[in-house]
Each structure stands twice: as C-alpha cells, then as structure tokens.
Amino acid sequence: MESMAKLRDQYHFTDEDAANLHDLLPVAEEYLNSLAGHFMNYLYENPETERIVLKNSDKDRLEAFHRHWFRTLFSGAYDQEYLRSLKRIGQAHVRVGLPVHYVNASMSHVRHAIQHMIHDTFEDRDQRRMFRESVDKILDMNLAVMTSSYRDAEMSKVFVSRSLESWLIRLSERFTYGLNLVLVLSLAGLSIGVVGLFVSDILQIFSGKPEKAIFSALGSMLILWMMIELLENEIKNLKGGSFNILVFVGVVVVAMVREILISTLRHDDLKTQAFLTLTLLALGVVYFLISKAQKCSFKE
C-alpha cells in the first residue's frame, strides 16, 4: 500500500464515510466491553489461536490492544499514521505465526458484531444501511493492509530463493561450459596425438613390415575419424546442441576393432582374440540398441 489516500480511493472511502464512523464512536464506546469480550472469547475458543496468544502475549494486554483498535475504527481520522499502525498490526500477526485465514475469520466476526450493534441501536433502515456501508469499507481496508503483510513476507522469501536459485544456475552453467571447453581442448590435443600415431604407422610401411603397418595405420585412421566425430559433437554441445552418447560408444567400438587387428597381426592366443571378439560383439549390441532408441525418440 503506497498511501492512505490511494487506499481510500480504491475502496471509495469518502469524507462522508469517515464522518459516519465518527458518529458511531459514542455507540461503540457503549458496546466496547461487549465487542472486546466477544472477540477475546472467539480467540480463546480455537486451540490454535489460544496457543499463539498465550505464547506471545497475555489476555489483559491483548484485550487492551483490541479495545484501542476498536476505538480507532471510529476515530474519524484515517491518515498515513493510521495506515502505518495497520501495517504494524499485520507485521505482528506474521511475526507470531498467526495463519492468515484466522485474520480473515476474525475480521468477519468483528464485522458481524458491529452490524448487530448498528441494528440494535438505530431503527431507521436507511441510517443502518449508511452506517453498515461505511463500516464495511473501513473493515475491508483494515483487512487489505493486514493481509498484505503476509503477501510481502511470502514475496520476500520467493525473491530470495529465486535470486539464489538463479545465481546457482548461472554458476553451474558457466562451470559446465568451462568443463566442456576443457574437454574440447583435450580432444584436440588427443587428436593431434592420433595424427602423430597415424603418421608413425604410415612411416612403418617403409620399415620392412608393410602388412602390420598398413593394418595399424587403418586402425589409427579409424580412431582419428572418431576423434573428429567427438570434437564435432562437443562443439555442438558448446553451441547448445544435445549430448550424443552414441558417438562415445562408437569410439570404443573403433578402438576395439583396432585392437583386434593388431592382436591378429601379433598372433595372440585364441583366448585373447575370442575375448576381444566377444567384447566387440557386446559393444556392437549396445551401439545398436542406443541407435535404435535414439531413432524412436526422434520419431516421437
């Protein structure tokens, strides 16, 4: 609430309403004990409100406060200081942990009590209606200001959590981006090493063992091709693309193919070659299943 003037304008609370409420002050003084007593009985009827009251105040002090608040309803002075007092009441409700629905229910109880007071005091129907309308406006304004304290408290929590959450998300995104950048640089360095291995295998063709060198160079070429795929995948990831695990499985498959080629040239025993072959078969099944799953996901 920015100002009392704006609040009065929103509820169409006029100087005539203020005068009507001030005219009710003598009547309210006569009913003050009854109004305060009924309100205190209402609070102590509910175990939860009774617990909150006993924990944060004593009965006499609370009753004296409500007597003062009842008088201010009919004071006729509804200025900025009155608005500040209502805000303090709302903040006190939030501070002691009073649920907001009890504030609404209490205000409804007060409204009915004052309406009965008006009905029992004035016989003229138009006069009763005039007073009731003015009372409804001031009670609605009181309720709006008091409950706004709950909204302000909730919004402050939301803003704090959103700010912290946003900061953590930004930090995580930057950290992940940095890790991906390191990974790209590492892959680039490894690719250079694979190029060196490929060149070394090519040079071995002229060293007197061309058959072994050709197979070794073929395996190195496959690994180099997969390293290129890995680099392209990571670059796409840095640009916001999706992660493709199939490429990583493909690298392992290619590495296993190269190992089998080299194992054949080394004339390893059958157990070793059988183990490598079964491993390649298992990797091939995994590659096939992942590829099929990605195609199904794409179709959906």
Side-chain angles (χ1 to χ4, degrees):
M1 304 295 175
E2 294 181 1
S3 67
M4 194 63 192
K6 184 176 180 180
L7 184 63
R8 291 178 59 153
D9 182 63
Q10 290 173 346
Y11 284 87
H12 304 289
F13 187 87
T14 63
D15 292 338
E16 183 180 353
D17 292 313
N20 291 337
L21 291 171
H22 190 262
D23 291 340
L24 284 174
L25 181 58
V27 180
E29 290 285 359
E30 294 180 8
Y31 280 82
L32 191 59
N33 291 333
S34 177
L35 290 172
H38 280 111
F39 187 72
M40 293 301 298
N41 290 335
Y42 169 76
L43 290 179
Y44 279 88
E45 283 176 359
N46 187 287
E48 186 172 0
T49 54
E50 181 184 18
R51 177 183 58 79
I52 294 173
V53 169
L54 293 176
K55 182 180 179 181
N56 296 278
S57 183
D58 59 80
K59 186 175 182 179
D60 293 337
R61 180 181 176 185
L62 187 61
E63 187 172 352
F65 172 80
H66 282 107
R67 286 173 180 272
H68 172 72
W69 176 71
F70 279 128
R71 287 192 181 96
T72 62
L73 285 175
F74 308 99
S75 65
Y78 311 103
D79 51 13
Q80 203 64 22
E81 179 57 35
Y82 182 76
L83 177 64
R84 283 193 287 269
S85 68
L86 296 182
K87 287 184 176 180
R88 286 194 293 270
I89 295 173
Q91 291 166 358
H93 289 158
V94 174
R95 186 169 58 253
V96 300
L98 182 67
V100 67
H101 62 270
Y102 285 123
V103 179
N104 294 322
S106 299
M107 196 64 72
S108 177
H109 180 82
V110 171
R111 191 188 306 272
H112 290 150
I114 295 176
Q115 287 176 351
H116 285 300
M117 179 192 76
I118 294 172
H119 184 272
D120 295 342
T121 304
F122 302 97
E123 296 182 357
D124 184 74
R125 180 179 298 179
D126 291 336
Q127 192 177 25
R128 290 201 301 261
R129 178 185 56 79
M130 177 184 66
F131 284 136
R132 282 199 304 267
E133 289 179 353
S134 298
V135 168
D136 285 342
K137 290 180 182 178
I138 192 62
L139 290 179
D140 287 341
M141 292 162 62
N142 271 254
L143 185 60
V145 176
M146 290 180 190
T147 54
S148 69
S149 299
Y150 289 86
R151 185 177 63 253
D152 293 342
E154 287 299 321
M155 291 302 293
S156 65
K157 293 178 183 178
V158 169
F159 285 140
V160 169
S161 63
R162 282 184 179 175
S163 177
L164 179 61
E165 181 181 316
S166 178
W167 180 79
L168 288 174
I169 290 174
R170 289 198 304 270
L171 180 63
S172 300
E173 287 176 345
R174 291 176 182 176
F175 181 71
T176 303
Y177 182 85
L179 290 178
N180 281 320
L181 189 60
V182 171
L183 183 56
V184 168
L185 294 175
S186 300
L187 287 172
L190 288 174
S191 298
I192 294 173
V194 174
V195 170
L197 180 62
F198 177 69
V199 172
S200 176
D201 291 336
I202 293 296
L203 293 177
Q204 286 184 8
I205 296 176
F206 307 100
S207 65
K209 296 180 180 180
E211 182 181 355
K212 181 178 179 180
I214 290 174
F215 277 102
S216 181
L218 181 61
S220 299
M221 185 175 63
L222 290 174
I223 293 178
L224 180 59
W225 173 65
M226 291 307 300
M227 292 298 295
I228 294 172
E229 291 292 322
L230 278 173
L231 271 172
E232 289 181 349
N233 186 71
E234 278 303 308
I235 291 172
K236 288 178 182 178
N237 193 23
L238 284 174
K239 292 181 178 180
S242 59
F243 177 80
N244 188 2
I245 193 173
L246 193 64
V247 176
F248 291 88
V249 178
V251 171
V252 181
V253 170
V254 170
M256 189 58 61
V257 170
R258 181 178 184 274
E259 185 63 26
I260 289 175
L261 290 174
I262 296 175
S263 177
T264 302
L265 292 174
R266 286 199 306 256
H267 302 291
D268 291 338
D269 59 87
L270 292 178
K271 289 184 179 180
T272 302
Q273 295 189 26
F275 173 76
L276 294 174
T277 303
L278 290 175
T279 304
L280 178 62
L281 180 61
L283 289 171
V285 172
V286 172
Y287 187 91
F288 170 76
L289 292 176
I290 294 175
S291 177
K292 188 175 181 180
Q294 288 185 349
K295 287 180 181 179
C296 291
S297 177
F298 177 76
K299 289 179 180 180
E300 292 175 358

